[in-house]
Each structure stands twice: as C-alpha cells, then as structure tokens.
Amino acid sequence: MRVAEFDREFVLRQAMLAFMQFGYAKTSMQKLTQVTLLHPGSLYAAFGNKKGIFLAAIEQYQTDRNEQFTALFCPTQPVLPNLRCYIDSIVSECITGDAMKVCLLTKSISEVEGQDAQINEVLSANLNAYENALTQQFSRAKSQNEIQNVRSAQQLARFFAMSLYGLRTYALTNRDADALALLADDIFNAIK
Amino acid sequence: MRVAEFDREFVLRQAMLAFMQFGYAKTSMQKLTQVTLLHPGSLYAAFGNKKGIFLAAIEQYQTDRNEQFTALFCPTQPVLPNLRCYIDSIVSECITGDAMKVCLLTKSISEVEGQDAQINEVLSANLNAYENALTQQFSRAKSQNEIQNVRSAQQLARFFAMSLYGLRTYALTNRDADALALLADDIFNAIK
DNA sequence: CCTTATCTTGAATGTACACTCAAGATAAGG
DNA sequence: CCTTATCTTGAGTGTACATTCAAGATAAGG
C-alpha cells in the first residue's frame, strides 16, 4: 500500500561505483548506506544482503555497458572505426583515474574467484556475454572485408577482450597517456 | 640469546600462497597462523602487522620470480624460444588452477589500488622492475636480429606484460587449454 | 648449571563488520 | 478520514577480525 521511495537505478549505480573503487570486501554496508543514502533496513529489505546488492549492482553495470556497446557498435557503420573509438574510450577511462577506470567484472572476478559459486557464475556469464558481443562485431567486420585476418572472429574477440583486461591492469601502475595510447595502437594493429 | 625457530622463507611462501588464493582482505591473521604454523605473537614479533607480512611476502614473491626469470632467460641462449617457454609456463599455471595461476602483484594492485600508499609503491616498483627485465630481453632480441619489429624494446615489453596480465585475467573464467594456447600464440606472434 | 635475553604461546581485548528488528512514518484503498 | 499494508529508521546484536600481552619455554653465555 506504499511504494518504495528510492530510485533503484541510482542506488545500484552508487553501489556499483563503490564496489569498483573499493572492491567487494572493502565496501562495507556502512559505506553502502552512505553512498546510496539508504538505511540498512531499506537495503536489506530491497536486496536481502550485501551479496544481493553486489549481484544487483553487477546486473546494473552490465545493463549500462550493453547500452553503451550497442550505441557505439551501430550495425550500419563499419566495425573497425567503432573498435578504435571503443579502445580510445577505455584509455580515457584509465587516465581519468575515477572508478570507471576498472571493469567491475574483471576486478570482481580477480578478487572473489573461488570464494562464492553464485558470484563466480554471474561474473563468468557476463564476461562470456561480452566475449560473444565482441565476436559478433568481428564476424561482421570479416564478412564486410574490413579484416583480412585468418583468425576466427571468436579468436579475435578473445584476444581483444584479453588485451583490454591487460590494458586496464597495466594502467593501474602506469597512467601515462602516451604509453597507453601506444598500447592501444598495438592492440588495434594486432586484430586488423 | 635464543634464535628464531621458524624458517622465514617457508613462512613467507605460505603467506604468499594464501594472499594469492584469497586476496589481501580475505586472508585473515587466523588463516596466516594456520598456513605458517606460527602463533599470532610470533608473526607480529617478526613482521609487525598484517601489512608487514604482506609486504614481506611480496618481497619473497619477487625474489622467487627473479630467480626463475634469470634462470630461464640465460644470456647465452636466443631470446625468442625463451619467451615462448615463458608464455607456455604461464599458460600451464593458469590451467592447473592452483594459487600460482594468479600474479600476486597484479592481483594485489587490482584489489588494494588507492587504499594504501606504501603497498601501492611497492607493487608499482615491482611491476616496473618486471617491465624493465622484459625490456632488457627484447633489447637483446633486437640486437641479435631475432626480432625485426619496428617498435622499441620498451614498447614490446609493455605490450608483452600487458598481454600476460590480460591472459591471466582471461583464464579466470575460461580455463580451456586450447583457447589459452591460441591466445598464447597470438601474443607471441604480436611481439615477433 | 644457572642466568638472562629472546622466542613462543594462546587467551584476552577492542573494534569493525554484516545483519536484525521493533517502532515510527506514509501512501493507497475503502 | 480511517485502516492497513508496506516502507523507513537507526539503535542493537552477535560474530569475526587484527592486535596485544603476560606467562611459559628454550637456547646461548658465563
């Protein structure tokens, strides 16, 4: 007879940013109440427990990323320039140094791998979906003769995803714009 | 008038393995007492606090890795075959699924980045040293005409290091031996 | 073999955490 | 406007944590 007052998307994006910045273990419920502007009772009523907030935040993260992805990789445009834009946007995120410099999925799987089966499954599924989305793009690039590479679209997607994971990790200790730009060039050249 | 009874290297390697498996936050002092077979008092007397144990474990990790590295990259042998062996050994570590499948340095920097200045510095310094060691190898490979790549030795080293960071991350959700072998091939081809 | 400095032991301490719950507030239905 | 279901509030609870410390054990020096 009464509707929830808080904005679910706002709450989950705030939680998402906290998890990206501090990691799962170091994001306390107190910190979550602060950034979401919700009290413990409301958070527990809405999401069950800390793990529930985390899984919901991951879902929100993936939703947001999918939107960006489909917006950037418009099917009427050639793939390669879009891929280039995509890499450059990631380099930008790495340089600015805010929470988005990390990928919530890879940061989380690196932290909690082997600790919770459910979290592992969700993260794996999302990372696989990401790889599949990239495979589709490489497949289209090949069919449009944008890429004359002998490697399969899946293989190119895997290499590309792997490289981006590495790029974000590398950027954690070297935020030099030129160095990251050169690495981005290398990645781009390696998938052409 | 009495000498310490425990084997410092054993203790630090056990701690190192725990930190690699569980991460910094989830490796409790209780767990450290279990794996090191030492009581809290001894650990605190020897290393000050948990952070001290962590930093000492990182030092041990780097010492061990340097030994392996200099053993593998013998200066009388050509570089490229050694690099190939090196990648393959990392792929093996990723597949076996034990603690060594992760790099303590990158896993730690991913978890605690921005949380403790001292830990950040130590991890950054060690990762830089790793990049420099790789640069030396690529430099030698170029001077011996093993590599006709136009990119600088430093650039090749950065790309190689980045790729390995990515490979280890990728392997966390896809431990398929064939997939990892193909990615290893791609990395090797991209630096030749 | 006795002294003494140092190590070892593990129970105890204070703190921070995830989580609960009962009381209070508020919106929809009649 | 009153009822009632649901949300909000925040103090409270039990647990797990990092850390301490005083008592006991043990090796080296004289």
Side-chain angles (χ1 to χ4, degrees), chain B residues 89-116:
Chain B
S89 74
I90 289 175
V91 169
S92 296
E93 288 176 339
C94 289
I95 291 169
T96 59
D98 63 3
M100 292 297 285
K101 75 184 165 190
V102 301
C103 164
L104 178 60
L105 304 180
T106 53
K107 181 176 171 101
S108 300
I109 194 72
S110 168
E111 179 185 349
V112 306
E113 199 269 339
Q115 285 176 27
D116 184 286

Side-chain angles (χ1 to χ4, degrees), chain A residues 107-159:
Chain A
K107 182 178 169 98
S108 301
I109 193 72
S110 169
E111 180 184 348
V112 307
E113 199 267 339
Q115 285 177 26
D116 183 287
Q118 193 183 358
I119 294 178
N120 251 281
E121 256 179 54
V122 169
L123 292 172
S124 292
N126 282 324
L127 286 167
N128 271 322
Y130 176 59
E131 183 180 309
N132 289 336
L134 283 173
T135 300
Q136 278 195 347
Q137 295 303 317
F138 279 105
S139 194
R140 192 159 72 83
K142 292 189 79 158
S143 69
Q144 288 172 182
N145 288 320
E146 288 185 71
I147 291 179
Q148 283 85 31
N149 202 303
V150 293
R151 287 178 281 170
S152 72
Q154 187 188 46
Q155 183 60 23
L156 289 167
R158 283 176 171 171
F159 179 80

Side-chain angles (χ1 to χ4, degrees), chain B residues 51-124:
Chain B
K51 181 173 145 186
I53 302 172
F54 184 59
L55 291 175
I58 288 171
E59 200 182 350
Q60 184 65 50
Y61 179 73
Q62 193 66 350
T63 301
D64 289 355
R65 282 231 309 198
N66 277 337
E67 263 180 37
Q68 287 178 255
F69 197 91
T70 52
L72 179 57
F73 290 94
C74 168
T76 61
Q77 289 180 325
V79 177
L80 275 185
N82 288 344
L83 272 175
R84 183 70 228 198
C85 283
Y86 183 55
I87 306 181
D88 292 341
S89 74
I90 289 175
V91 169
S92 296
E93 288 176 339
C94 289
I95 291 169
T96 59
D98 63 3
M100 292 297 285
K101 75 184 165 190
V102 301
C103 164
L104 178 60
L105 304 180
T106 53
K107 181 176 171 101
S108 300
I109 194 72
S110 168
E111 179 185 349
V112 306
E113 199 269 339
Q115 285 176 27
D116 184 286
Q118 192 183 359
I119 293 177
N120 251 279
E121 254 178 55
V122 169
L123 291 172
S124 292

Side-chain angles (χ1 to χ4, degrees), chain B residues 9-40:
Chain B
E9 283 195 12
F10 170 79
V11 164
L12 288 180
R13 289 212 183 90
Q14 291 294 106
M16 182 184 96
L17 290 169
F19 284 125
M20 287 195 273
Q21 186 174 358
F22 305 110
Y24 182 66
K26 272 282 184 184
T27 301
S28 63
M29 286 303 300
Q30 194 187 357
K31 206 166 269 165
L32 286 172
T33 60
Q34 285 165 6
V35 299
T36 62
L37 309 176
L38 250 48
H39 290 253

